[in-house]
Amino acid sequence: MTDFLTIPNVKTWQGEVVSFISGQRANARVLLADNAERTYFRQGLVEMTDMEYLSAEGQPGLNRLAAQRLVDQLRTSMRGTLLVLLSNSAEFLNGLQDEVEQQHAGLMSVTNLELPGPRDKETVIRVNTNRLNEASYWAAIDQGTIADRVALKSALSGDTTFPDSFRAVDSASRNRTGRPALRNVISLLVLTNTEDAAVDLSSIGAVKRTEVDDAWLRVQVFEEGWAPREIGDREAGLLESEWSLRIAVLARPFVSALLAGREDPAQRAQVAALLDELKTYQGPGTQASTRANYTERLHKHVVEWIEPDYDLASFWAAGQHRSTQYEPALVQVLPGYNTSASGFLSYRPDFVVNDFTPCAVSDAPDETNDAIRAAIRRSAHVFEFTAIATGDPSLMKSYLASKLPNYVQVTQEQ
Protein backbone atom coordinates (compact mmCIF):
# COMPACT_ATOMS: atom_id res chain seq x y z
CA MET A 1 0.00 0.00 0.00
CA THR A 2 1.26 3.50 -0.83
CA ASP A 3 0.13 6.74 0.84
CA PHE A 4 0.33 9.91 -1.26
CA LEU A 5 0.24 13.52 -0.13
CA THR A 6 0.58 16.76 -2.04
CA ILE A 7 2.51 19.13 0.21
CA PRO A 8 0.37 22.23 0.88
CA ASN A 9 1.60 25.56 -0.44
CA VAL A 10 2.11 27.03 3.03
CA LYS A 11 5.23 27.57 5.15
CA THR A 12 3.79 25.28 7.86
CA TRP A 13 3.86 22.31 5.49
CA GLN A 14 6.35 20.35 7.62
CA GLY A 15 3.91 19.98 10.48
CA GLU A 16 1.15 18.73 8.17
CA VAL A 17 3.54 16.22 6.59
CA VAL A 18 4.72 14.86 9.95
CA SER A 19 1.09 14.52 11.07
CA PHE A 20 0.28 12.65 7.83
CA ILE A 21 3.24 10.28 8.28
CA SER A 22 2.55 9.57 11.95
CA GLY A 23 1.28 6.04 12.45
CA GLN A 24 1.90 4.98 8.84
CA ARG A 25 5.44 3.72 9.07
CA ALA A 26 4.49 0.33 7.61
CA ASN A 27 3.36 1.94 4.36
CA ALA A 28 5.30 3.39 1.48
CA ARG A 29 4.84 7.15 1.29
CA VAL A 30 5.17 9.64 -1.55
CA LEU A 31 5.22 13.39 -0.93
CA LEU A 32 4.81 15.78 -3.85
CA ALA A 33 5.85 19.41 -3.68
CA ASP A 34 4.71 21.31 -6.77
CA ASN A 35 6.32 24.63 -7.72
CA ALA A 36 8.93 23.89 -5.08
CA GLU A 37 10.99 26.94 -6.05
CA ARG A 38 8.33 29.13 -4.45
CA THR A 39 8.82 30.65 -1.04
CA TYR A 40 6.78 28.11 0.93
CA PHE A 41 9.11 25.13 0.51
CA ARG A 42 12.41 26.56 1.75
CA GLN A 43 10.76 28.94 4.21
CA GLY A 44 9.08 25.98 5.87
CA LEU A 45 12.45 24.22 6.18
CA VAL A 46 14.45 27.14 7.58
CA GLU A 47 11.57 28.36 9.81
CA MET A 48 11.94 32.05 9.02
CA THR A 49 9.37 34.80 9.22
CA ASP A 50 8.32 36.40 5.97
CA MET A 51 10.59 39.41 6.49
CA GLU A 52 13.57 37.23 7.52
CA TYR A 53 13.11 35.10 4.44
CA LEU A 54 12.86 38.08 2.08
CA SER A 55 16.11 39.41 3.53
CA ALA A 56 17.90 36.09 3.09
CA GLU A 57 16.43 35.19 -0.34
CA GLY A 58 19.14 35.03 -2.99
CA GLN A 59 21.95 34.54 -0.47
CA PRO A 60 24.05 31.36 -0.94
CA GLY A 61 23.58 30.37 2.68
CA LEU A 62 19.80 29.97 2.28
CA ASN A 63 20.04 26.87 0.09
CA ARG A 64 22.72 25.45 2.40
CA LEU A 65 20.55 25.86 5.48
CA ALA A 66 17.45 24.52 3.68
CA ALA A 67 19.43 21.50 2.44
CA GLN A 68 20.77 20.73 5.92
CA ARG A 69 17.27 20.86 7.41
CA LEU A 70 15.83 18.78 4.55
CA VAL A 71 18.44 16.02 4.92
CA ASP A 72 17.84 15.92 8.66
CA GLN A 73 14.07 15.60 8.15
CA LEU A 74 14.48 12.81 5.59
CA ARG A 75 16.72 10.91 8.00
CA THR A 76 14.33 11.28 10.95
CA SER A 77 10.64 12.29 10.85
CA MET A 78 10.30 11.69 7.10
CA ARG A 79 12.40 8.54 6.98
CA GLY A 80 11.18 6.00 4.45
CA THR A 81 9.47 8.67 2.35
CA LEU A 82 9.96 9.49 -1.33
CA LEU A 83 9.92 13.25 -1.76
CA VAL A 84 9.24 14.52 -5.29
CA LEU A 85 9.98 18.17 -6.04
CA LEU A 86 8.52 19.66 -9.20
CA SER A 87 9.82 22.98 -10.45
CA ASN A 88 10.20 24.99 -13.64
CA SER A 89 13.43 26.43 -12.21
CA ALA A 90 16.47 24.31 -13.04
CA GLU A 91 18.60 26.83 -11.14
CA PHE A 92 16.67 26.16 -7.91
CA LEU A 93 16.76 22.37 -8.24
CA ASN A 94 20.42 22.18 -9.20
CA GLY A 95 21.42 24.59 -6.43
CA LEU A 96 19.48 22.60 -3.83
CA GLN A 97 20.92 19.32 -5.10
CA ASP A 98 24.49 20.64 -4.81
CA GLU A 99 23.92 21.48 -1.16
CA VAL A 100 22.08 18.21 -0.40
CA GLU A 101 24.96 16.24 -1.94
CA GLN A 102 27.33 17.91 0.52
CA GLN A 103 25.26 16.45 3.33
CA HIS A 104 24.30 13.04 1.92
CA ALA A 105 25.74 11.79 -1.37
CA GLY A 106 23.18 10.23 -3.72
CA LEU A 107 20.17 11.33 -1.71
CA MET A 108 18.80 13.67 -4.40
CA SER A 109 18.79 13.41 -8.17
CA VAL A 110 17.46 15.85 -10.78
CA THR A 111 15.64 14.61 -13.87
CA ASN A 112 14.45 16.69 -16.80
CA LEU A 113 10.84 15.89 -17.69
CA GLU A 114 10.09 16.42 -21.35
CA LEU A 115 7.09 18.54 -22.24
CA PRO A 116 4.25 16.54 -23.79
CA GLY A 117 3.77 16.68 -27.53
CA PRO A 118 0.96 18.74 -29.10
CA ARG A 119 -1.51 15.85 -29.20
CA ASP A 120 -1.01 14.83 -25.56
CA LYS A 121 -1.08 18.44 -24.44
CA GLU A 122 -4.32 19.05 -26.31
CA THR A 123 -5.93 15.91 -24.86
CA VAL A 124 -5.32 17.17 -21.32
CA ILE A 125 -6.66 20.62 -22.19
CA ARG A 126 -9.67 19.27 -24.08
CA VAL A 127 -10.72 16.83 -21.34
CA ASN A 128 -10.37 19.42 -18.58
CA THR A 129 -12.24 22.03 -20.63
CA ASN A 130 -15.10 19.63 -21.34
CA ARG A 131 -15.34 18.42 -17.75
CA LEU A 132 -15.74 21.93 -16.36
CA ASN A 133 -17.81 23.86 -18.88
CA GLU A 134 -21.27 23.91 -20.41
CA ALA A 135 -19.83 24.54 -23.87
CA SER A 136 -17.39 22.02 -25.28
CA TYR A 137 -13.79 22.59 -26.28
CA TRP A 138 -14.84 22.23 -29.91
CA ALA A 139 -17.64 24.79 -29.57
CA ALA A 140 -15.16 27.34 -28.23
CA ILE A 141 -12.66 26.73 -31.01
CA ASP A 142 -15.22 26.52 -33.78
CA GLN A 143 -16.85 29.81 -32.83
CA GLY A 144 -13.64 31.66 -31.99
CA THR A 145 -11.95 34.02 -34.38
CA ILE A 146 -9.45 32.89 -37.00
CA ALA A 147 -6.70 34.49 -34.91
CA ASP A 148 -7.82 32.45 -31.87
CA ARG A 149 -7.59 29.17 -33.75
CA VAL A 150 -4.18 29.96 -35.18
CA ALA A 151 -2.93 31.08 -31.75
CA LEU A 152 -4.12 27.81 -30.19
CA LYS A 153 -2.43 25.73 -32.89
CA SER A 154 0.78 27.64 -32.24
CA ALA A 155 0.47 27.33 -28.46
CA LEU A 156 0.09 23.56 -28.68
CA SER A 157 3.34 23.26 -30.60
CA GLY A 158 6.91 23.67 -29.45
CA ASP A 159 7.93 24.25 -25.84
CA THR A 160 4.90 26.19 -24.68
CA THR A 161 3.39 25.30 -21.31
CA PHE A 162 -0.11 24.16 -20.43
CA PRO A 163 -1.10 27.63 -19.16
CA ASP A 164 -0.25 29.12 -22.56
CA SER A 165 -2.58 26.66 -24.28
CA PHE A 166 -5.36 27.05 -21.69
CA ARG A 167 -5.19 30.81 -22.18
CA ALA A 168 -5.58 30.33 -25.93
CA VAL A 169 -8.73 28.25 -25.40
CA ASP A 170 -10.05 30.78 -22.89
CA SER A 171 -9.51 33.57 -25.40
CA ALA A 172 -11.44 31.65 -28.06
CA SER A 173 -14.34 30.98 -25.68
CA ARG A 174 -14.58 34.66 -24.82
CA ASN A 175 -14.64 35.61 -28.48
CA ARG A 176 -17.34 33.17 -29.57
CA THR A 177 -19.64 34.54 -32.22
CA GLY A 178 -22.77 33.01 -33.75
CA ARG A 179 -23.80 29.39 -33.55
CA PRO A 180 -21.54 26.37 -34.09
CA ALA A 181 -21.17 24.84 -37.53
CA LEU A 182 -22.18 21.23 -38.26
CA ARG A 183 -22.36 19.30 -35.00
CA ASN A 184 -22.28 15.60 -34.32
CA VAL A 185 -25.72 14.00 -34.65
CA ILE A 186 -27.77 11.58 -32.58
CA SER A 187 -30.67 10.25 -34.68
CA LEU A 188 -33.35 8.75 -32.44
CA LEU A 189 -35.56 6.44 -34.52
CA VAL A 190 -38.84 5.84 -32.74
CA LEU A 191 -41.04 2.90 -33.77
CA THR A 192 -44.71 3.53 -33.00
CA ASN A 193 -48.01 1.66 -33.22
CA THR A 194 -49.83 4.66 -34.67
CA GLU A 195 -51.26 4.90 -38.18
CA ASP A 196 -49.41 8.15 -38.85
CA ALA A 197 -46.41 10.07 -37.54
CA ALA A 198 -48.35 13.16 -36.47
CA VAL A 199 -46.62 13.36 -33.08
CA ASP A 200 -46.10 16.82 -31.54
CA LEU A 201 -42.43 16.88 -30.55
CA SER A 202 -42.32 20.51 -29.37
CA SER A 203 -41.99 19.34 -25.75
CA ILE A 204 -38.63 17.77 -26.63
CA GLY A 205 -37.10 21.15 -27.51
CA ALA A 206 -37.14 23.90 -30.09
CA VAL A 207 -37.56 22.35 -33.55
CA LYS A 208 -34.80 23.72 -35.76
CA ARG A 209 -36.22 22.27 -38.95
CA THR A 210 -38.45 19.52 -40.30
CA GLU A 211 -36.81 17.30 -42.88
CA VAL A 212 -40.02 15.51 -43.78
CA ASP A 213 -43.57 15.44 -42.41
CA ASP A 214 -45.43 12.71 -44.25
CA ALA A 215 -48.13 10.11 -43.64
CA TRP A 216 -46.17 7.75 -41.41
CA LEU A 217 -42.73 9.40 -41.35
CA ARG A 218 -41.77 12.60 -39.57
CA VAL A 219 -38.12 13.70 -39.17
CA GLN A 220 -37.27 16.79 -37.13
CA VAL A 221 -33.99 18.32 -35.94
CA PHE A 222 -33.31 19.93 -32.54
CA GLU A 223 -30.27 21.98 -31.64
CA GLU A 224 -31.20 23.62 -28.34
CA GLY A 225 -33.18 22.59 -25.27
CA TRP A 226 -33.40 18.90 -26.21
CA ALA A 227 -31.10 17.39 -23.58
CA PRO A 228 -33.13 16.48 -20.45
CA ARG A 229 -31.98 18.49 -17.44
CA GLU A 230 -32.11 15.32 -15.36
CA ILE A 231 -28.65 14.49 -16.66
CA GLY A 232 -27.33 17.76 -15.15
CA ASP A 233 -27.45 21.32 -16.42
CA ARG A 234 -23.75 21.43 -17.30
CA GLU A 235 -23.89 18.05 -18.99
CA ALA A 236 -26.97 19.04 -20.99
CA GLY A 237 -25.28 22.23 -22.14
CA LEU A 238 -22.12 20.34 -23.07
CA LEU A 239 -24.06 17.91 -25.28
CA GLU A 240 -26.10 20.59 -26.99
CA SER A 241 -22.95 22.57 -27.78
CA GLU A 242 -21.46 19.69 -29.78
CA TRP A 243 -24.38 17.42 -30.74
CA SER A 244 -27.71 17.88 -32.51
CA LEU A 245 -30.69 15.62 -31.88
CA ARG A 246 -32.73 14.32 -34.77
CA ILE A 247 -35.93 12.37 -34.16
CA ALA A 248 -37.49 10.15 -36.82
CA VAL A 249 -40.97 8.92 -35.95
CA LEU A 250 -41.67 5.71 -37.92
CA ALA A 251 -45.27 4.59 -37.63
CA ARG A 252 -47.03 1.26 -38.21
CA PRO A 253 -46.34 0.78 -41.96
CA PHE A 254 -42.59 0.91 -41.32
CA VAL A 255 -42.74 -1.36 -38.28
CA SER A 256 -44.76 -3.96 -40.20
CA ALA A 257 -42.25 -3.94 -43.04
CA LEU A 258 -39.29 -4.12 -40.66
CA LEU A 259 -40.58 -7.22 -38.88
CA ALA A 260 -41.88 -8.86 -42.07
CA GLY A 261 -38.45 -8.29 -43.60
CA ARG A 262 -36.96 -10.95 -41.38
CA GLU A 263 -38.47 -13.44 -43.83
CA ASP A 264 -39.38 -11.32 -46.85
CA PRO A 265 -36.45 -10.01 -48.96
CA ALA A 266 -38.63 -7.42 -50.72
CA GLN A 267 -39.75 -5.88 -47.44
CA ARG A 268 -36.21 -6.03 -46.16
CA ALA A 269 -34.96 -4.17 -49.24
CA GLN A 270 -37.37 -1.23 -48.88
CA VAL A 271 -36.58 -0.89 -45.18
CA ALA A 272 -32.84 -0.91 -45.93
CA ALA A 273 -33.29 1.72 -48.63
CA LEU A 274 -35.13 4.11 -46.30
CA LEU A 275 -32.60 3.66 -43.49
CA ASP A 276 -29.79 4.34 -45.95
CA GLU A 277 -31.55 7.60 -46.85
CA LEU A 278 -31.79 8.51 -43.17
CA LYS A 279 -28.02 8.15 -42.82
CA THR A 280 -27.75 11.44 -44.71
CA TYR A 281 -27.70 14.48 -42.46
CA GLN A 282 -27.78 18.03 -43.77
CA GLY A 283 -26.17 20.59 -41.55
CA PRO A 284 -26.12 24.39 -41.50
CA GLY A 285 -25.33 25.96 -44.83
CA THR A 286 -27.06 23.30 -46.93
CA GLN A 287 -28.72 24.94 -49.91
CA ALA A 288 -32.51 25.12 -49.98
CA SER A 289 -32.65 23.14 -53.22
CA THR A 290 -30.60 20.34 -51.67
CA ARG A 291 -32.92 20.22 -48.67
CA ALA A 292 -35.96 20.13 -50.95
CA ASN A 293 -34.49 17.26 -52.96
CA TYR A 294 -33.82 15.32 -49.78
CA THR A 295 -37.38 15.83 -48.55
CA GLU A 296 -38.68 14.68 -51.91
CA ARG A 297 -36.61 11.51 -51.77
CA LEU A 298 -38.00 10.69 -48.33
CA HIS A 299 -41.52 11.45 -49.55
CA LYS A 300 -40.99 9.08 -52.47
CA HIS A 301 -40.22 6.23 -50.06
CA VAL A 302 -43.49 6.88 -48.24
CA VAL A 303 -45.58 7.11 -51.42
CA GLU A 304 -44.12 3.95 -52.93
CA TRP A 305 -44.12 1.98 -49.68
CA ILE A 306 -45.68 -1.47 -49.82
CA GLU A 307 -47.11 -2.24 -46.42
CA PRO A 308 -47.30 -5.97 -45.69
CA ASP A 309 -50.23 -7.68 -44.03
CA TYR A 310 -48.42 -8.29 -40.78
CA ASP A 311 -50.03 -8.75 -37.36
CA LEU A 312 -48.22 -6.51 -34.86
CA ALA A 313 -50.32 -7.47 -31.83
CA SER A 314 -47.80 -9.86 -30.30
CA PHE A 315 -44.95 -7.44 -30.95
CA TRP A 316 -46.54 -4.56 -29.04
CA ALA A 317 -47.76 -6.90 -26.32
CA ALA A 318 -44.16 -8.00 -25.67
CA GLY A 319 -43.34 -4.84 -23.70
CA GLN A 320 -39.63 -4.43 -23.00
CA HIS A 321 -38.93 -7.65 -24.88
CA ARG A 322 -39.85 -6.02 -28.21
CA SER A 323 -36.18 -5.44 -28.89
CA THR A 324 -35.66 -9.20 -29.20
CA GLN A 325 -37.91 -9.01 -32.28
CA TYR A 326 -36.85 -5.79 -33.98
CA GLU A 327 -33.10 -6.03 -33.34
CA PRO A 328 -32.61 -9.19 -35.45
CA ALA A 329 -34.48 -7.38 -38.23
CA LEU A 330 -32.21 -4.35 -37.89
CA VAL A 331 -29.10 -6.54 -38.04
CA GLN A 332 -30.26 -7.70 -41.48
CA VAL A 333 -30.67 -4.18 -42.89
CA LEU A 334 -27.91 -2.36 -41.01
CA PRO A 335 -24.65 -4.31 -41.20
CA GLY A 336 -22.69 -3.41 -38.08
CA TYR A 337 -25.78 -2.89 -35.94
CA ASN A 338 -25.02 -3.22 -32.22
CA THR A 339 -21.30 -3.75 -32.69
CA SER A 340 -18.41 -1.81 -31.17
CA ALA A 341 -17.05 1.21 -33.02
CA SER A 342 -14.06 3.45 -32.43
CA GLY A 343 -14.44 6.72 -30.60
CA PHE A 344 -17.21 5.72 -28.17
CA LEU A 345 -15.11 4.41 -25.26
CA SER A 346 -16.92 1.43 -23.69
CA TYR A 347 -20.33 2.54 -24.95
CA ARG A 348 -21.89 0.89 -27.98
CA PRO A 349 -24.51 2.95 -29.87
CA ASP A 350 -27.21 0.95 -31.66
CA PHE A 351 -25.69 1.84 -35.03
CA VAL A 352 -22.79 4.08 -35.99
CA VAL A 353 -23.07 5.90 -39.29
CA ASN A 354 -19.84 7.87 -38.68
CA ASP A 355 -17.38 7.39 -35.80
CA PHE A 356 -16.81 10.02 -33.14
CA THR A 357 -13.40 11.70 -33.06
CA PRO A 358 -12.35 14.22 -30.42
CA CYS A 359 -11.73 17.77 -31.59
CA ALA A 360 -8.01 18.06 -32.32
CA VAL A 361 -6.51 21.29 -33.59
CA SER A 362 -3.14 19.54 -33.38
CA ASP A 363 -4.22 17.26 -36.25
CA ALA A 364 -4.13 20.19 -38.69
CA PRO A 365 -1.10 19.85 -41.00
CA ASP A 366 -0.38 23.59 -40.81
CA GLU A 367 -1.59 26.76 -39.08
CA THR A 368 -3.88 28.01 -41.84
CA ASN A 369 -7.51 28.54 -40.88
CA ASP A 370 -8.73 26.16 -43.60
CA ALA A 371 -6.50 23.36 -42.33
CA ILE A 372 -7.60 23.88 -38.73
CA ARG A 373 -11.31 24.05 -39.60
CA ALA A 374 -10.99 20.83 -41.62
CA ALA A 375 -9.23 19.09 -38.74
CA ILE A 376 -11.89 19.95 -36.15
CA ARG A 377 -14.97 19.39 -38.33
CA ARG A 378 -17.66 17.37 -36.53
CA SER A 379 -18.96 14.34 -38.43
CA ALA A 380 -20.12 11.70 -35.92
CA HIS A 381 -23.60 10.30 -36.57
CA VAL A 382 -25.34 7.52 -34.65
CA PHE A 383 -28.72 5.81 -34.73
CA GLU A 384 -30.51 4.91 -31.51
CA PHE A 385 -33.72 2.87 -31.76
CA THR A 386 -36.61 2.60 -29.36
CA ALA A 387 -40.21 1.33 -29.61
CA ILE A 388 -42.92 3.50 -28.05
CA ALA A 389 -46.39 2.30 -29.01
CA THR A 390 -48.17 5.63 -28.47
CA GLY A 391 -45.31 7.83 -29.69
CA ASP A 392 -45.52 9.70 -26.37
CA PRO A 393 -42.81 12.42 -26.34
CA SER A 394 -42.47 12.17 -22.56
CA LEU A 395 -41.34 8.57 -22.98
CA MET A 396 -38.87 9.71 -25.62
CA LYS A 397 -37.44 12.19 -23.11
CA SER A 398 -37.14 9.43 -20.50
CA TYR A 399 -35.35 7.24 -23.00
CA LEU A 400 -32.95 10.08 -23.84
CA ALA A 401 -32.28 10.68 -20.14
CA SER A 402 -31.15 7.05 -19.81
CA LYS A 403 -28.96 7.10 -22.93
CA LEU A 404 -27.40 10.55 -23.01
CA PRO A 405 -25.02 10.16 -20.02
CA ASN A 406 -23.08 7.81 -22.30
CA TYR A 407 -22.64 10.62 -24.80
CA VAL A 408 -21.52 12.98 -22.03
CA GLN A 409 -18.72 10.51 -21.26
CA VAL A 410 -17.85 10.09 -24.93
CA THR A 411 -17.64 13.87 -25.37
CA GLN A 412 -15.73 14.85 -22.26
CA GLU A 413 -13.47 11.95 -21.37
CA GLN A 414 -11.19 11.69 -24.39
PDB file of all heavy atoms in Angstrom, residues 17-32:
ATOM      1  N   VAL A  17       2.934  17.444   7.111  1.00  0.00           N
ATOM      2  CA  VAL A  17       3.545  16.225   6.593  1.00  0.00           C
ATOM      3  C   VAL A  17       3.832  15.241   7.723  1.00  0.00           C
ATOM      4  O   VAL A  17       3.545  14.044   7.613  1.00  0.00           O
ATOM      5  CB  VAL A  17       4.832  16.563   5.817  1.00  0.00           C
ATOM      6  CG1 VAL A  17       5.648  15.300   5.550  1.00  0.00           C
ATOM      7  CG2 VAL A  17       4.498  17.250   4.507  1.00  0.00           C
ATOM      8  N   VAL A  18       4.399  15.732   8.816  1.00  0.00           N
ATOM      9  CA  VAL A  18       4.717  14.862   9.949  1.00  0.00           C
ATOM     10  C   VAL A  18       3.441  14.239  10.517  1.00  0.00           C
ATOM     11  O   VAL A  18       3.401  13.056  10.865  1.00  0.00           O
ATOM     12  CB  VAL A  18       5.485  15.648  11.040  1.00  0.00           C
ATOM     13  CG1 VAL A  18       5.625  14.796  12.302  1.00  0.00           C
ATOM     14  CG2 VAL A  18       6.851  16.068  10.524  1.00  0.00           C
ATOM     15  N   SER A  19       2.379  15.046  10.582  1.00  0.00           N
ATOM     16  CA  SER A  19       1.095  14.521  11.067  1.00  0.00           C
ATOM     17  C   SER A  19       0.561  13.440  10.130  1.00  0.00           C
ATOM     18  O   SER A  19       0.014  12.424  10.588  1.00  0.00           O
ATOM     19  CB  SER A  19       0.089  15.665  11.180  1.00  0.00           C
ATOM     20  OG  SER A  19      -1.180  15.186  11.562  1.00  0.00           O
ATOM     21  N   PHE A  20       0.734  13.637   8.824  1.00  0.00           N
ATOM     22  CA  PHE A  20       0.284  12.651   7.834  1.00  0.00           C
ATOM     23  C   PHE A  20       1.065  11.355   7.976  1.00  0.00           C
ATOM     24  O   PHE A  20       0.505  10.249   7.893  1.00  0.00           O
ATOM     25  CB  PHE A  20       0.473  13.234   6.432  1.00  0.00           C
ATOM     26  CG  PHE A  20       0.286  12.260   5.307  1.00  0.00           C
ATOM     27  CD1 PHE A  20      -0.983  11.838   4.935  1.00  0.00           C
ATOM     28  CD2 PHE A  20       1.377  11.760   4.618  1.00  0.00           C
ATOM     29  CE1 PHE A  20      -1.168  10.941   3.902  1.00  0.00           C
ATOM     30  CE2 PHE A  20       1.207  10.862   3.572  1.00  0.00           C
ATOM     31  CZ  PHE A  20      -0.060  10.451   3.220  1.00  0.00           C
ATOM     32  N   ILE A  21       2.377  11.461   8.212  1.00  0.00           N
ATOM     33  CA  ILE A  21       3.239  10.278   8.278  1.00  0.00           C
ATOM     34  C   ILE A  21       3.020   9.498   9.568  1.00  0.00           C
ATOM     35  O   ILE A  21       3.134   8.271   9.594  1.00  0.00           O
ATOM     36  CB  ILE A  21       4.715  10.708   8.161  1.00  0.00           C
ATOM     37  CG1 ILE A  21       5.000  11.198   6.750  1.00  0.00           C
ATOM     38  CG2 ILE A  21       5.659   9.570   8.524  1.00  0.00           C
ATOM     39  CD1 ILE A  21       6.378  11.784   6.566  1.00  0.00           C
ATOM     40  N   SER A  22       2.677  10.195  10.644  1.00  0.00           N
ATOM     41  CA  SER A  22       2.555   9.567  11.950  1.00  0.00           C
ATOM     42  C   SER A  22       1.612   8.366  11.918  1.00  0.00           C
ATOM     43  O   SER A  22       0.479   8.445  11.446  1.00  0.00           O
ATOM     44  CB  SER A  22       2.039  10.592  12.964  1.00  0.00           C
ATOM     45  OG  SER A  22       1.876  10.000  14.231  1.00  0.00           O
ATOM     46  N   GLY A  23       2.097   7.252  12.387  1.00  0.00           N
ATOM     47  CA  GLY A  23       1.281   6.042  12.447  1.00  0.00           C
ATOM     48  C   GLY A  23       1.199   5.278  11.150  1.00  0.00           C
ATOM     49  O   GLY A  23       0.469   4.290  11.061  1.00  0.00           O
ATOM     50  N   GLN A  24       1.965   5.673  10.127  1.00  0.00           N
ATOM     51  CA  GLN A  24       1.897   4.983   8.836  1.00  0.00           C
ATOM     52  C   GLN A  24       3.255   4.398   8.437  1.00  0.00           C
ATOM     53  O   GLN A  24       3.548   4.227   7.274  1.00  0.00           O
ATOM     54  CB  GLN A  24       1.443   5.954   7.738  1.00  0.00           C
ATOM     55  CG  GLN A  24       0.092   6.574   7.997  1.00  0.00           C
ATOM     56  CD  GLN A  24      -0.354   7.453   6.846  1.00  0.00           C
ATOM     57  OE1 GLN A  24      -0.076   7.167   5.694  1.00  0.00           O
ATOM     58  NE2 GLN A  24      -1.059   8.529   7.154  1.00  0.00           N
ATOM     59  N   ARG A  25       4.071   4.123   9.397  1.00  0.00           N
ATOM     60  CA  ARG A  25       5.436   3.724   9.068  1.00  0.00           C
ATOM     61  C   ARG A  25       5.520   2.393   8.331  1.00  0.00           C
ATOM     62  O   ARG A  25       6.554   2.080   7.730  1.00  0.00           O
ATOM     63  CB  ARG A  25       6.284   3.673  10.340  1.00  0.00           C
ATOM     64  CG  ARG A  25       6.427   5.033  10.986  1.00  0.00           C
ATOM     65  CD  ARG A  25       7.457   5.037  12.092  1.00  0.00           C
ATOM     66  NE  ARG A  25       7.572   6.358  12.681  1.00  0.00           N
ATOM     67  CZ  ARG A  25       8.286   7.344  12.170  1.00  0.00           C
ATOM     68  NH1 ARG A  25       8.937   7.162  11.038  1.00  0.00           N
ATOM     69  NH2 ARG A  25       8.345   8.510  12.782  1.00  0.00           N
ATOM     70  N   ALA A  26       4.465   1.604   8.340  1.00  0.00           N
ATOM     71  CA  ALA A  26       4.487   0.325   7.612  1.00  0.00           C
ATOM     72  C   ALA A  26       4.196   0.517   6.136  1.00  0.00           C
ATOM     73  O   ALA A  26       4.372  -0.401   5.345  1.00  0.00           O
ATOM     74  CB  ALA A  26       3.476  -0.639   8.227  1.00  0.00           C
ATOM     75  N   ASN A  27       3.734   1.695   5.756  1.00  0.00           N
ATOM     76  CA  ASN A  27       3.360   1.938   4.362  1.00  0.00           C
ATOM     77  C   ASN A  27       4.444   2.717   3.633  1.00  0.00           C
ATOM     78  O   ASN A  27       5.215   3.467   4.229  1.00  0.00           O
ATOM     79  CB  ASN A  27       2.059   2.749   4.288  1.00  0.00           C
ATOM     80  CG  ASN A  27       0.889   2.017   4.916  1.00  0.00           C
ATOM     81  OD1 ASN A  27       0.867   0.791   4.948  1.00  0.00           O
ATOM     82  ND2 ASN A  27      -0.072   2.770   5.404  1.00  0.00           N
ATOM     83  N   ALA A  28       4.471   2.527   2.315  1.00  0.00           N
ATOM     84  CA  ALA A  28       5.304   3.389   1.480  1.00  0.00           C
ATOM     85  C   ALA A  28       4.618   4.742   1.364  1.00  0.00           C
ATOM     86  O   ALA A  28       3.391   4.826   1.321  1.00  0.00           O
ATOM     87  CB  ALA A  28       5.497   2.758   0.104  1.00  0.00           C
ATOM     88  N   ARG A  29       5.424   5.812   1.325  1.00  0.00           N
ATOM     89  CA  ARG A  29       4.844   7.150   1.289  1.00  0.00           C
ATOM     90  C   ARG A  29       5.500   7.966   0.186  1.00  0.00           C
ATOM     91  O   ARG A  29       6.719   7.908  -0.012  1.00  0.00           O
ATOM     92  CB  ARG A  29       5.038   7.862   2.634  1.00  0.00           C
ATOM     93  CG  ARG A  29       4.281   7.213   3.783  1.00  0.00           C
ATOM     94  CD  ARG A  29       4.534   7.971   5.067  1.00  0.00           C
ATOM     95  NE  ARG A  29       5.929   7.928   5.464  1.00  0.00           N
ATOM     96  CZ  ARG A  29       6.479   6.945   6.169  1.00  0.00           C
ATOM     97  NH1 ARG A  29       5.734   5.919   6.541  1.00  0.00           N
ATOM     98  NH2 ARG A  29       7.751   6.990   6.500  1.00  0.00           N
ATOM     99  N   VAL A  30       4.673   8.742  -0.523  1.00  0.00           N
ATOM    100  CA  VAL A  30       5.167   9.640  -1.550  1.00  0.00           C
ATOM    101  C   VAL A  30       4.651  11.040  -1.238  1.00  0.00           C
ATOM    102  O   VAL A  30       3.446  11.244  -1.072  1.00  0.00           O
ATOM    103  CB  VAL A  30       4.701   9.217  -2.962  1.00  0.00           C
ATOM    104  CG1 VAL A  30       5.186  10.218  -4.011  1.00  0.00           C
ATOM    105  CG2 VAL A  30       5.221   7.818  -3.301  1.00  0.00           C
ATOM    106  N   LEU A  31       5.569  11.991  -1.143  1.00  0.00           N
ATOM    107  CA  LEU A  31       5.218  13.389  -0.931  1.00  0.00           C
ATOM    108  C   LEU A  31       5.545  14.160  -2.201  1.00  0.00           C
ATOM    109  O   LEU A  31       6.622  13.989  -2.773  1.00  0.00           O
ATOM    110  CB  LEU A  31       6.002  13.980   0.243  1.00  0.00           C
ATOM    111  CG  LEU A  31       5.860  13.281   1.603  1.00  0.00           C
ATOM    112  CD1 LEU A  31       6.748  13.962   2.636  1.00  0.00           C
ATOM    113  CD2 LEU A  31       4.409  13.295   2.059  1.00  0.00           C
ATOM    114  N   LEU A  32       4.625  15.005  -2.629  1.00  0.00           N
ATOM    115  CA  LEU A  32       4.811  15.776  -3.848  1.00  0.00           C
ATOM    116  C   LEU A  32       4.750  17.264  -3.526  1.00  0.00           C
ATOM    117  O   LEU A  32       3.758  17.743  -2.984  1.00  0.00           O
ATOM    118  CB  LEU A  32       3.732  15.431  -4.879  1.00  0.00           C
ATOM    119  CG  LEU A  32       3.746  16.242  -6.170  1.00  0.00           C
ATOM    120  CD1 LEU A  32       5.011  15.943  -6.973  1.00  0.00           C
ATOM    121  CD2 LEU A  32       2.511  15.931  -7.012  1.00  0.00           C
TER     122      LEU A  32
END
